[in-house]
Amino acid sequence: MSRSKSTTGLAVLFGVLGSLHFLKPEPFEQIVPHALPRKKELVYASGVAELACAAGLLHPRTRRLAGLMSAGLLVAVFPANVQMAVDLRSKGSRTAQAIAYARLPLQLPLIRWALKAARE
């Protein structure tokens, strides 16, 4: 079965973001929930997971599992997005705060996108 442009787009998104976890880990480390230890290692682990999801989405034999794993990964990293929004409440500009809070509900369409890819 061929891959849709939508699934290719999701794979590219995960590939770019996964790569950024290694090329510029500091912004990702800052949003790891404060209670979690070993932030750099968590950032690298999530980067590996994103790259694996990206690769899996590209091949028909692994697409279903990769789509499901992508949805799970988006759920797993949601606390980091919440942490970023909370942190920006006290030290971010109004624009940064608005963007951080607007991002939170955007996780739902991303999760639906991943689940759609799993059904291809």
Side-chain angles (χ1 to χ4, degrees):
M1 173 185 239
S2 66
R3 180 176 65 244
S4 71
K5 289 180 182 178
S6 174
T7 296
T8 301
L10 184 60
V12 169
L13 177 67
F14 273 116
V16 168
L17 290 173
S19 297
L20 286 174
H21 280 69
F22 295 96
L23 298 172
K24 194 151 174 62
E26 297 81 13
F28 297 101
E29 290 174 45
Q30 292 174 7
I31 66 171
V32 172
H34 300 309
L36 297 177
R38 305 182 70 166
K39 293 176 184 348
K40 185 175 290 267
E41 290 86 348
L42 290 171
V43 168
Y44 288 155
S46 62
V48 167
E50 288 183 3
L51 291 171
C53 287
L57 287 167
L58 295 175
H59 194 279
R61 293 182 71 190
T62 55
R63 189 168 302 132
R64 177 168 170 68
L65 178 60
L68 295 173
M69 296 301 292
S70 296
L73 180 60
L74 289 163
V75 170
V77 300
F78 185 74
N81 294 332
V82 171
Q83 186 67 63
M84 179 176 59
V86 168
D87 288 347
L88 286 173
R89 265 192 354 214
S90 61
K91 64 181 177 185
S93 69
R94 293 249 185 229
T95 302
Q97 291 171 15
I99 291 169
Y101 279 96
R103 262 183 81 173
L104 296 177
L106 290 177
Q107 288 293 109
L108 289 174
L110 287 173
I111 292 166
R112 280 196 301 268
W113 191 7
L115 293 173
K116 179 182 173 197
R119 292 189 300 271
E120 269 188 26

